[in-house]
Amino acid sequence: MPDNVQGPGTDRAALSADCANCFGLCCVALTLTRSADFAVDKDAGKPCRNLQEDFRCGIHTELRTRGFPGCTVYDCFGAGQKVSGETFRGQDWRSAPRTAQQMFQVFPVMRQLHELLWYLTEALSLEAARSLHHEIRRALDETERLTHLPADAFRELDVAGHRDVVAELLRRAGALVRATAPRKKKRDHRGADLIGARLRGADLRGADLRGAYLIAADLTGADLRLADLIGADFRDADLSGADLTTSLFLTQSQLNAAGGDASTKLPPSLGRPTHWTR
Ligand code: SF4
């Protein structure tokens, strides 16, 4: 994965899920509700019925056809292997039931921290946000430090407060980058309800689409370069032919939730979802 950022806490490869070195934490720790994304109800702390003894998914290659497409979208940003291998030193929840609940509580917090690491690492690579790089580096180092805390310390962690501080920093970094885009009209769509919107071929360069609801939106051929897409909901949106090459804060999870095709232009750090078969 290309990355022009150096130093501790900035390796984006370490922010990718490594299921082979995880105790299937996303398949146990989380509450999952029966829906179009997940075929059954499951309580937090209960293993999914499809989770095998070796912590692998028994229907991994059939998730979409068996009613579990949400599992193909979920991304732990590498939190699973960190909790399994480092925080709990390789002791799995089956063989150590006494610490299992604690492990399940640490995992979602670690996942939030790793997601912040993903965004901060990207922010540190943005040339237009260079004036903020010192602050971003500090936030990155602090976030990285938190991920190495012992399990007990996670209970006291104000992750929401930390997230707020980082979110504001990312907003400022995004604004600096968006300001470099050609500006023809108002581009503030933060949190906007754009469900099913017809945005075919739209010029959305430099748009603020943070947290926008783009569910099932038609974005075929749209130009989303330099647009801030943090937290935007792309479920079932059509990104065929869209240009996302310099979109900001886009994640693999967002792409996996959307539709697209071979002509969708992606940022170099993200892969083309396998279900984009057209
Ligand atoms: S269906 Fe597979 S990937 Fe999804 S939660 Fe269950 S075991 Fe995990």
Side-chain angles (χ1 to χ4, degrees):
M1 235 175 249
D3 194 338
N4 57 1
V5 180
Q6 300 296 316
T10 58
D11 179 4
R12 268 190 155 183
L15 302 176
S16 297
D18 178 5
C19 302
N21 287 300
C22 172
F23 300 135
L25 294 181
C26 62
C27 310
V28 189
L30 308 179
T31 299
L32 297 168
T33 306
R34 185 176 177 154
S35 64
D37 287 327
F38 199 77
V40 294
D41 287 318
K42 189 196 82 59
D43 293 332
K46 299 271 185 237
C48 169
R49 67 185 187 188
N50 297 317
L51 187 65
Q52 301 177 151
E53 284 298 310
D54 63 356
F55 306 112
R56 303 294 182 95
C57 173
I59 60 166
H60 182 65
T61 57
E62 307 161 274
L63 286 166
R64 286 189 172 268
T65 53
R66 297 274 294 270
F68 295 83
C71 300
T72 68
V73 169
Y74 184 81
D75 186 357
C76 76
F77 295 95
Q81 67 261 28
K82 175 78 75 72
V83 173
S84 300
E86 182 182 318
T87 318
F88 286 84
R89 298 164 194 258
Q91 186 142 61
D92 72 78
W93 49 270
R94 284 198 213 276
S95 58
R98 206 166 50 81
T99 52
Q101 285 309 317
Q102 187 181 36
M103 186 182 244
F104 302 151
Q105 284 158 9
V106 167
F107 172 67
V109 179
M110 186 70 85
R111 195 247 179 214
Q112 289 190 60
L113 293 174
H114 269 232
E115 184 179 16
L116 295 180
L117 288 177
W118 174 270
Y119 293 136
L120 286 165
T121 302
E122 177 174 339
L124 206 51
S125 74
L126 301 171
E127 192 54 39
R130 179 159 286 282
S131 60
L132 293 176
H133 280 189
H134 187 64
E135 277 182 76
I136 294 167
R137 164 55 72 184
R138 270 208 317 245
L140 184 63
D141 289 346
E142 173 60 7
T143 308
E144 178 71 21
R145 186 188 71 78
L146 296 177
T147 71
H148 297 296
L149 289 172
D152 284 348
F154 273 73
R155 206 177 326 140
E156 310 298 326
L157 202 59
D158 178 14
V159 70
H162 182 66
R163 197 180 177 97
D164 287 348
V165 171
V166 171
E168 174 58 15
L169 191 51
L170 295 173
R171 184 199 65 74
R172 288 164 59 205
L176 288 172
V177 177
R178 291 192 300 103
T180 66
R183 199 154 290 268
K184 292 177 189 151
K185 51 187 168 184
K186 183 171 171 282
R187 299 279 163 82
D188 182 2
H189 305 293
R190 184 183 181 190
D193 179 352
L194 295 168
I195 297 172
R198 293 180 192 163
L199 295 166
R200 177 178 284 256
D203 179 1
L204 292 164
R205 285 176 295 174
D208 183 352
L209 286 158
R210 288 175 299 150
Y213 296 93
L214 288 153
I215 300 164
D218 179 4
L219 286 157
T220 52
D223 192 343
L224 288 151
R225 287 175 293 171
L226 302 173
D228 189 340
L229 305 179
I230 199 165
D233 192 338
F234 283 103
R235 277 176 294 166
D236 297 324
D238 191 348
L239 291 168
S240 300
D243 191 345
L244 297 148
T245 45
T246 55
S247 299
L248 301 172
F249 307 128
L250 183 66
T251 65
Q252 192 64 52
S253 180
Q254 286 169 302
L255 284 182
N256 291 353
D261 65 8
S263 66
T264 307
K265 298 185 184 73
L266 302 176
S269 61
L270 299 177
R272 196 170 304 278
T274 51
H275 67 278
W276 289 10
T277 50
R278 283 176 296 145

